[in-house]
Amino acid sequence: YEAKSIGGLIIKYWNLFSLTMKNSLFGKFVWTGGLAFRKRDAEKLEIKRLLATHLSDDMSFSRLLAEKKYNIFSVKNYTLSETDKTVWGALKWISRQQFMGYNYYPYLHYINIISLFLHIIFLIFFITTLNILYLLPFFSIFIVIFYFSVRYGNLEETIATPLIFVLFIINTFYSSIFPMLTRKIEWAGIVYELDRNGRVINRYPV
């Protein structure tokens, strides 16, 4: 992403974290906004039926490719998207992504939840003991964001790393809990209700 706001920066670094984790764990995650495949493969995999019955094209398609043991190849040059979302807009966007992740990769979401509670425990230990070693998990996240800002960002983003880090943590905490409290999500003025397999079972305007 070519971020044009603080909310855009949060989304950019959340995407970098998310895609790095998914590809390292699965090695078969695709973004369907920039995807090409052979017609015979699309017919064999029944892509039209898949997209007609699932909310997330990215995650449902990635899951299908993994199940069918298809290989994925990435190009080095790609088009950047621009985003100028507000901080609240970023929170809603990340919450929707986490909602989809919870439905399509529940075990990965549970790993996030376990990590979340471990971070809370470390934070409590730090507050009660003032032992700076308990902040190491947070410091490691800060270092990763700083690394991403140097490699994929610019000087302004690198300088803004502390702010991005704080807002990133707040967004992650909220959006990790949100998907476990509902089976419905709003997207572009439509409310979608999903079953446990990520299939759309109901939809209606807001």
Side-chain angles (χ1 to χ4, degrees):
Y1 280 96
E2 195 69 38
K4 292 189 173 182
S5 65
I6 294 297
L9 286 174
I10 297 171
I11 290 176
K12 176 177 180 176
Y13 289 96
W14 188 88
N15 268 327
L16 287 169
F17 259 97
S18 178
L19 290 174
T20 298
M21 177 179 292
K22 287 172 182 174
N23 281 318
S24 61
L25 290 176
F26 309 113
K28 293 183 179 294
F29 189 80
V30 297
W31 175 53
T32 52
L35 175 68
F37 45 83
R38 288 185 288 263
K39 181 180 179 180
R40 65 173 181 270
D41 290 325
E43 294 172 346
K44 180 179 179 180
L45 295 171
E46 298 182 296
I47 300 301
K48 288 185 179 180
R49 183 178 64 82
L50 177 77
L51 298 180
T53 55
H54 288 74
L55 176 60
S56 172
D57 49 1
D58 299 339
M59 296 188 184
S60 59
F61 195 53
S62 297
R63 188 172 65 180
L64 177 64
L65 292 178
E67 291 172 353
K68 300 299 182 180
K69 302 186 185 304
Y70 272 69
N71 292 320
I72 295 172
F73 300 94
S74 299
V75 296
K76 293 183 178 181
N77 298 319
Y78 49 87
T79 302
L80 291 174
S81 298
E82 295 183 356
T83 179
D84 59 353
K85 290 184 182 294
T86 63
V87 173
W88 172 243
L91 178 60
K92 292 178 64 177
W93 187 91
I94 292 175
S95 295
R96 188 176 72 234
Q97 298 302 110
Q98 292 279 53
F99 176 83
M100 294 178 184
Y102 176 63
N103 284 279
Y104 291 100
Y105 293 104
Y107 44 91
L108 178 59
H109 192 81
Y110 289 132
I111 291 174
N112 286 337
I113 293 296
I114 292 172
S115 174
L116 172 67
F117 280 104
L118 286 176
H119 279 75
I120 292 175
I121 291 173
F122 280 122
L123 184 59
I124 292 173
F125 282 165
F126 169 72
I127 293 174
T128 55
T129 66
L130 296 181
N131 188 337
I132 198 171
L133 290 178
Y134 289 118
L135 292 181
L136 285 178
F138 294 93
F139 183 69
S140 63
I141 296 175
F142 180 88
I143 291 298
V144 172
I145 292 177
F146 180 79
Y147 166 75
F148 283 152
S149 73
V150 172
R151 182 169 182 180
Y152 302 108
N154 51 43
L155 179 60
E156 288 79 6
E157 292 180 22
T158 302
I159 295 173
T161 296
L163 176 61
I164 297 171
F165 166 73
V166 172
L167 294 176
F168 178 88
I169 293 294
I170 294 173
N171 269 269
T172 302
F173 271 51
Y174 172 82
S175 61
S176 294
I177 300 298
F178 168 77
M180 305 178 70
L181 305 178
T182 181
R183 302 297 308 165
K184 301 177 181 180
I185 191 71
E186 177 188 341
W187 191 0
I190 303 294
V191 175
Y192 297 87
E193 183 177 359
L194 275 61
D195 65 13
R196 291 294 178 183
N197 292 315
R199 295 187 180 88
V200 177
I201 57 177
N202 191 22
R203 70 187 79 190
Y204 52 86
V206 176

